[in-house]
């Protein structure tokens, strides 16, 4: 069965510093991986996805993610964090022909001014 | 606004009552999903429609739950005889699904509280 794991419940970073939110995956077949962000009382917003090709995927709001096949990881990164990036971040993997998503438990990112 | 919309945004009901939620997907999207999210957890898949056909249902979807998408456009999710354990955020998502790997776009969710 497909799964993703987010090992950190919370990540704290100072504004202006680089940030990394970790995700590891376990899949059979090709991994199709996604990152979503959730702000309070709002639905999930799509950030980026990995299908194939370049291991560095660029997405919305200056975020990028690095796909590493040997480490089965898909970490979310941003070179310079903003206070407004504070939110809940979810990693997800596509499962089956219906493209349903299997989500991780989420990582709360707190950016301090 | 051409995003996914859900109605109502909040619903408080007493145990044993029936509730129905509505989802309006992005108009050109033929795929529609329902997920459930409880506090501190990621969303969990409930069911999937391609056009009007319900093609997959999770084991989480007990007999008290039913979903429809009658004309391949909006969808409804009904919970009969609600239980306190049904309290959660119910999320709807849609995507375009023709021969590729497409991201899903989520609505704001319906927060259900069963008292």
């Amino acid at each position: 069965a497909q799964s993703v794991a987010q090992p950190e419940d919370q990540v704290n970073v100072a504004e202006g510093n680089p940030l990394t939110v970790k995700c590891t995956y376990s899949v059979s077949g090709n991994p199709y991986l996604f990152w979503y962000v959730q702000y309070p009382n709002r639905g999930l917003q799509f950030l980026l996805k990995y299908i194939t090709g370049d291991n560095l995927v660029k997405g919305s709001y200056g975020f990028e993610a690095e796909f590493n096949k040997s480490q089965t990881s898909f970490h979310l990164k941003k070179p310079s964090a903003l206070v407004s990036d504070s939110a809940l971040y979810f990693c997800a993997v596509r499962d089956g022909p219906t493209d349903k998503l299997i989500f991780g438990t989420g990582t709360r990112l707190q950016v301090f001014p | 606004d051409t995003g996914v919309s859900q109605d109502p945004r909040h619903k408080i009901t007493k145990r044993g009552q029936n509730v129905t939620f509505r989802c309006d997907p992005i108009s050109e999207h033929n795929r529609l999903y329902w997920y459930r999210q409880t506090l501190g957890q990621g969303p969990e898949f409930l069911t999937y429609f391609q056009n009007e056909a319900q093609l997959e249902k999770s084991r989480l979807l007990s007999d008290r739950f039913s979903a429809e998408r009658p004309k391949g456009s909006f969808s409804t999710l009904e919970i009969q005889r609600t239980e306190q354990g049904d309290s959660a955020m119910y999320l709807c998502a849609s995507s375009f699904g023709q021969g590729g790997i497409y991201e899903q776009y989520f609505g704001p969710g319906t927060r259900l509280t069963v008292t």
Side-chain angles (χ1 to χ4, degrees):
Chain A
Q2 321 286 61
S3 67
V4 291
Q6 295 182 244
E8 302 158 317
D9 290 336
Q10 180 153 331
V11 170
N12 298 318
V13 65
E15 187 175 31
N17 283 1
L19 70 87
T20 298
V21 182
K22 296 180 180 178
C23 173
T24 58
Y25 64 88
S26 174
V27 303
S28 55
N30 294 322
Y32 300 118
L33 300 161
F34 301 78
W35 276 101
Y36 283 83
V37 59
Q38 187 173 38
Y39 295 98
N41 300 315
R42 294 175 65 176
L44 284 81
Q45 295 180 30
F46 169 74
L47 284 178
L48 50 80
K49 65 183 176 185
Y50 173 82
I51 300 175
T52 186
D54 290 341
N55 290 338
L56 187 64
V57 179
K58 293 191 181 297
S60 305
Y61 312 120
F63 283 93
E64 56 191 26
E66 186 173 9
F67 173 76
N68 187 315
K69 187 174 182 179
S70 63
Q71 296 185 5
T72 62
S73 67
F74 187 56
H75 298 335
L76 182 70
K77 300 184 177 187
K78 188 174 184 182
S80 179
L82 299 173
V83 172
S84 57
D85 292 330
S86 299
L88 193 55
Y89 290 80
F90 290 97
C91 179
V93 62
R94 172 187 175 269
D95 184 30
T98 62
D99 287 354
K100 67 177 183 284
L101 295 175
I102 307 299
F103 285 88
T105 52
T107 298
R108 184 164 301 282
L109 173 67
Q110 190 71 47
V111 181
F112 295 95
Chain B
D1 185 13
T2 57
V4 179
S5 61
Q6 292 187 246
D7 184 70
R9 294 290 304 273
H10 304 273
K11 179 71 176 178
I12 300 173
T13 191
K14 292 185 178 180
R15 188 178 51 163
Q17 298 296 305
N18 299 344
V19 295
T20 300
F21 309 142
R22 177 180 171 123
C23 170
D24 286 90
I26 294 171
S27 59
E28 61 267 28
H29 286 179
N30 61 336
R31 294 187 167 197
L32 187 145
Y33 305 79
W34 285 97
Y35 293 84
R36 181 171 67 187
Q37 185 178 20
T38 54
L39 199 62
Q41 298 297 319
E44 296 175 294
F45 170 77
L46 292 178
T47 191
Y48 160 73
F49 289 85
Q50 181 161 326
N51 300 312
E52 66 276 9
Q54 187 176 21
L55 298 183
E56 186 173 353
K57 292 193 294 186
S58 164
R59 287 170 293 179
L60 293 174
L61 215 63
S62 76
D63 291 344
R64 298 184 295 105
F65 288 70
S66 62
E68 294 183 340
R69 194 183 182 195
K71 297 183 179 180
S73 57
F74 73 92
S75 176
T76 59
L77 177 68
E78 181 183 15
I79 308 175
Q80 295 181 330
R81 306 181 302 283
T82 52
E83 302 173 356
Q84 287 188 325
D86 297 332
S87 296
M89 176 77 85
Y90 290 83
L91 296 167
C92 176
S94 69
S95 74
F96 185 71
Q98 297 287 345
I101 307 299
Y102 297 93
E103 58 272 21
Q104 295 175 25
Y105 291 88
F106 284 79
T110 295
R111 181 170 296 283
L112 173 66
T113 302
V114 182
T115 62

